[in-house]
């Protein structure tokens, strides 16, 4: 038994190199080509041009939610001074710092604003007194100012964590850890406000008549459970490629599995809370949104979400056995990542309309591969000559020897 | 601080002759207790236990303790809570005394879910606590090892292995020599 001996990482491969360089090139090329291809397809008809922006927004908000989940994870670990998570925290820092890439990709959303948001259409607003009342908040200049603010906060916070953490690799200066802890409490408040209002602005205002104060939490929760799944998956893949072999153990997977399990339930809890209050009150202004998502084929997608995003993964992740083994955990991680995408599809696409044909899905998948490829390439770029774990973190040893008592 | 010289007379009013409960071996560190526990298990003993001042990682595996059945008991309780919560509302609101509330169907699932959820959680949580007590044989106010003076340091800085006399392999001399050979700082007979 080696319960008390310190663990050394001298035999572990702690760099993404040389895999990172080729992955960066391949993923980057695939991403650019897929986005260019999707854009060309969208030029065929005016209808496809409008649909392109919905596909783009869907996949943009999908990857944004994963980065924001990562940012929350990093801030939370510092806020609670967690020891167990140190060996996976650097991976989260890379994913969080990807938000800078997304800030750049947001330009495409801006190009399609008039296709996406009906509150920007002056003629439409002139006939709609509700939208007129919402003009002081829902107008273009204020919307742009808010968006700049959101991305500035996220970019700054995620860069701060990454650069300070990498600095710590060199110096081992404990003050850096203390500074990251201190920034986390106000950072968390800023995070909660920006994510909530960003969800209102980017997603909820697609139907500007409808409102739900819990909507920001709903978006955050889906993103966080998606991110934890992504983190587990990344750890499994990195270990498969021969990296971090000794650093990450069944104990860490067990904890990641617990977070997946807990936040799958939390998602169900939030989704149901949103639904039940509106169902009970039965006010047309609020029920319209759900009515639209229960009619046509959308009701089936809603059922897929109830079972696929809640009941099945809840039962699947209940057991300790599953959480401590890579194969079943990887299965549920991929499952949850897929369900989170379907969840956003169900939130966004009903606003485009009922009709569907083949090229719509081409656009969806094209944008997914496009933004996803760039997302992966950016993460590889950030990891280019940095270690995959915080080498001199004061809690590294605690994390390495961590066991679920 | 506990001192070795303190020797309080215990059980001085004993009326019946003392029976041997088992052998108690004292160890001075966590590493030794894990290795010794592994040796005791390999020697084939089945009725024995380890006492430590704090949770020691790897001890469960060293002792060969099987996974607990507690999760299955809790799962059963949770499912019972689910059925009970649903059944209660169905029977009271829809069958025994139908109540029409804000124009909803007499029996409608969304309205019932909060109660189902609460009863499921309540039964699971209460069952966890009481099944945990039951499986551990708690509450237990007396244990023969309490008669031993050394054992008082089990909550401070000493680690103990106790092998019971009713273990099929128990043999006063052989067991004693096994425990001594594992590096115990003291081996004593525990009387009940």
């Amino acid at each position: 038994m080696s319960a008390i001996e310190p663990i050394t990482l001298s035999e572990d491969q702690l760099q993404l190199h040389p895999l990172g360089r080729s992955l960066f090139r391949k993923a980057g090329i695939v991403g650019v080509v897929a986005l260019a291809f999707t854009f060309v397809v969208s030029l065929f008809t005016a209808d496809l041009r409008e649909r392109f922006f919905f596909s783009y927004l869907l996949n943009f908000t999908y990857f944004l939610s994963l980065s924001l989940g990562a940012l929350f994870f990093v801030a939370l670990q510092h806020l609670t001074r967690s020891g167990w998570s140190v060996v996976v925290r650097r991976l989260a820092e890379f994913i969080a710092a990807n938000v800078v890439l997304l800030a750049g990709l947001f330009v495409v959303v801006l190009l399609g604003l008039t296709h996406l948001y009906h509150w920007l259409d002056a003629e439409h607003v002139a006939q709609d007194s509700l939208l007129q009342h919402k003009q002081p908040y829902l107008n273009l200049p204020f919307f742009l100012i808010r968006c700049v603010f959101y991305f500035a906060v996220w970019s700054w916070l995620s860069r701060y964590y990454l650069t300070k953490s990498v600095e710590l690799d060199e110096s081992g200066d404990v003050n850096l850890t203390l500074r990251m802890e201190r920034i986390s409490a106000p950072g968390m408040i800023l995070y909660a406000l920006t994510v909530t209002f960003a969800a209102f602005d980017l997603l909820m205002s697609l139907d500007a008549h409808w409102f739900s104060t819990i909507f920001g939490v709903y978006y955050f929760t889906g993103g966080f459970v998606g991110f934890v799944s992504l983190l587990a998956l990344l750890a499994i893949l990195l270990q498969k490629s021969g990296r971090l072999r000794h650093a990450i153990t069944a104990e860490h997977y067990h904890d990641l599995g617990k977070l997946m399990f807990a936040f799958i339930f939390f998602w169900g809890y939030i989704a149901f809370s949103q639904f039940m209050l509106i169902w009970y009150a039965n006010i047309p202004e609020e029920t319209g949104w759900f009515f639209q998502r229960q009619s046509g084929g959308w009701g089936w997608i809603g059922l897929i979400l109830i079972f696929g995003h809640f009941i099945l993964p809840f039962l699947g992740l209940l057991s300790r056995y599953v959480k401590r083994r890579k194969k079943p955990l990887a299965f549920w991680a991929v499952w949850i990542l897929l369900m989170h995408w379907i969840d956003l599809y169900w939130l966004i696409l009903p606003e485009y309309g009922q009709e569907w044909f083949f090229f719509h899905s081409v656009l969806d998948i094209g944008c997914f591969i496009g933004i996803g490829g760039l997302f992966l390439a950016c993460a590889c770029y950030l990891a280019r000559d940095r270690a995959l774990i915080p080498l001199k973190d004061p809690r590294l040893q605690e994390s390495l020897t961590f066991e679920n008592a | 601080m506990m001192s070795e010289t303190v020797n309080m007379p215990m059980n001085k009013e004993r009326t019946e002759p003392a029976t041997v409960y088992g052998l108690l071996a004292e160890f001075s560190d966590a590493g030794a207790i894990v290795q010794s526990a592994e040796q005791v298990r390999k020697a084939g003993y089945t009725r024995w236990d380890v006492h430590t001042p704090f949770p020691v990682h790897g001890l469960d595996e060293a002792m060969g303790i099987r996974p607990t059945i507690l999760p299955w008991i809790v799962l059963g309780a949770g499912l019972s809570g689910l059925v009970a919560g649903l059944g209660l509302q169905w029977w009271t609101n829809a069958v025994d005394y139908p109540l029409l509330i804000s124009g909803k169907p007499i029996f409608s699932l969304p309205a019932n879910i909060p109660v189902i959820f609460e009863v499921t959680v309540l039964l699971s949580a209460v069952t966890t606590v009481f099944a945990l007590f039951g499986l551990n044989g708690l509450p237990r106010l007396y244990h023969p090892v309490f008669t031993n003076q050394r054992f008082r340091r089990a909550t401070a800085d000493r680690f103990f292995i106790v092998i019971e006399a009713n273990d099929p392999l128990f043999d006063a001399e052989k067991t004693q020599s096994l425990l001594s050979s594992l590096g115990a700082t003291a081996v004593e007979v525990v009387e009940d």
Side-chain angles (χ1 to χ4, degrees), chain B residues 109-129:
Chain B
L109 204 55
N112 296 339
I113 282 179
V115 173
I116 295 173
F117 172 71
E118 297 299 343
V119 179
T120 305
V121 171
L122 179 72
L123 243 68
S124 305
V126 169
T127 304
T128 308
V129 174

Side-chain angles (χ1 to χ4, degrees), chain A residues 1 3 265 272 276 279-280 403, chain B residues 34 57 104 108 110 113-114 117:
Chain A
M1 301 304 298
F265 197 89
F272 179 73
M276 194 195 71
W279 174 84
Y280 231 125
E403 282 190 40
Chain B
V34 172
H57 291 319
K104 306 289 188 223
S108 50
I113 282 179
F117 172 71

Side-chain angles (χ1 to χ4, degrees), chain A residues 181-215:
Chain A
E181 282 172 8
R182 248 173 259 136
I183 203 94
S184 292
M188 203 62 121
I189 295 170
L190 263 180
Y191 175 88
L193 290 172
T194 48
V195 171
T196 302
F197 280 92
F200 290 172
D201 289 350
L202 293 176
L203 296 176
M204 202 168 87
S205 82
L206 287 168
D207 178 354
H209 283 187
W210 186 71
F211 53 89
S212 166
T213 44
I214 210 171
F215 192 83

